[in-house]
Amino acid sequence: RSPSGDLRAHTMVFVLLIGDLHIPLRAGEVPSKFKALLGPNKIQHIICTGNLCCRDVMDYLRTIAGDVHAVRGDFDPPDLALPDTKVVQVGNFTIGVCHGHQIVPWGDADALGMAQRQLGCDVLVTGHTHAFRAYENEGKLFINPGSATGAFSTLQDEVTPSFALMDIKGDQATTFVYELVEDEVKVKRIEFTKRA
């Protein structure tokens, strides 16, 4: 407990960053090795970059966490009624999310920086390229969790299935990147501290 009595600064919060699933259009399901890691009651929030492609995928995400925030990808049907962008407050962090097909050139750092400033967020989560990417720029964190299913992309010859899990504690966000490489789950760790 902090001197002010605020428990938020000391409580760990897990946020799943996931997207570009393309089920059933380009992939059958989330890989079983990922499903085993994404059980219920472990994760508090989900931020999805879109391209779920059907309501069943949204229902699946809700079995993992009750608090699901998703945006519209370029292959999402209108009946999902997803917004183009969203800003979510998680602990001390403001997280902005956008699919990424609206940001041209796709994946461009300057264009992503403009989107981050427009959303006024500490962390910008985007998708569309189906390739994991994370970097810090001007004190902000930019993450593309890639495609959780490894769905085909016109932008990549080979797509490595991936997602990210953020552990938020106070002003510290530790991001664990999970990639399925040759049927083995590989994990990388990225540290980010929010500037005052």
Side-chain angles (χ1 to χ4, degrees):
R1 189 179 281 263
S2 67
S4 67
D6 185 2
L7 292 174
R8 286 186 323 165
H10 299 287
T11 304
M12 290 183 352
V13 177
F14 293 105
V15 182
L16 174 62
L17 308 178
I18 194 167
D20 288 308
L21 295 109
H22 287 278
I23 297 172
L25 303 177
R26 297 183 189 176
E29 63 182 352
V30 173
S32 61
K33 290 193 176 185
F34 283 176
K35 279 186 173 181
L37 297 170
L38 299 174
N41 304 316
K42 296 178 184 177
I43 297 166
Q44 288 74 41
H45 308 278
I46 296 176
I47 303 227
C48 180
T49 63
N51 278 347
L52 293 91
C53 297
C54 69
R55 184 159 308 283
D56 289 347
V57 177
M58 181 66 86
D59 293 342
Y60 165 67
L61 293 178
R62 286 191 176 116
T63 68
I64 299 169
D67 189 38
V68 178
H69 301 278
V71 293
R72 183 184 65 81
D74 50 338
F75 284 88
D76 284 321
D79 69 310
L80 288 179
L82 299 170
D84 284 336
T85 62
K86 193 164 192 177
V87 177
V88 180
Q89 185 72 38
V90 179
N92 293 343
F93 286 85
T94 304
I95 303 172
V97 62
C98 166
H99 176 64
H101 69 281
Q102 315 92 321
I103 299 172
V104 179
W106 297 329
D108 177 75
D110 290 335
L112 289 167
M114 186 179 302
Q116 175 275 318
R117 288 186 295 277
Q118 288 172 345
L119 294 176
C121 54
D122 303 308
V123 179
L124 179 66
V125 181
T126 58
H128 189 62
T129 64
H130 295 210
F132 170 77
R133 184 176 178 204
Y135 63 95
E136 190 175 334
N137 187 19
E138 297 182 9
K140 307 299 180 186
L141 181 62
F142 296 80
I143 299 177
N144 182 328
S147 169
T149 59
F152 163 80
S153 169
T154 58
L155 304 174
Q156 307 261 18
D157 288 336
E158 290 187 35
V159 177
T160 300
S162 62
F163 69 87
L165 184 64
M166 290 183 83
D167 173 2
I168 294 177
K169 186 191 289 185
D171 289 336
Q172 182 73 33
T174 303
T175 303
F176 298 92
V177 182
Y178 294 80
E179 295 181 299
L180 191 59
V181 179
E182 297 177 6
D183 206 36
E184 292 285 327
V185 177
K186 306 286 185 184
V187 183
K188 291 186 259 184
R189 179 181 172 142
I190 301 163
E191 299 285 344
F192 174 73
T193 302
K194 179 178 173 179
R195 292 184 188 172

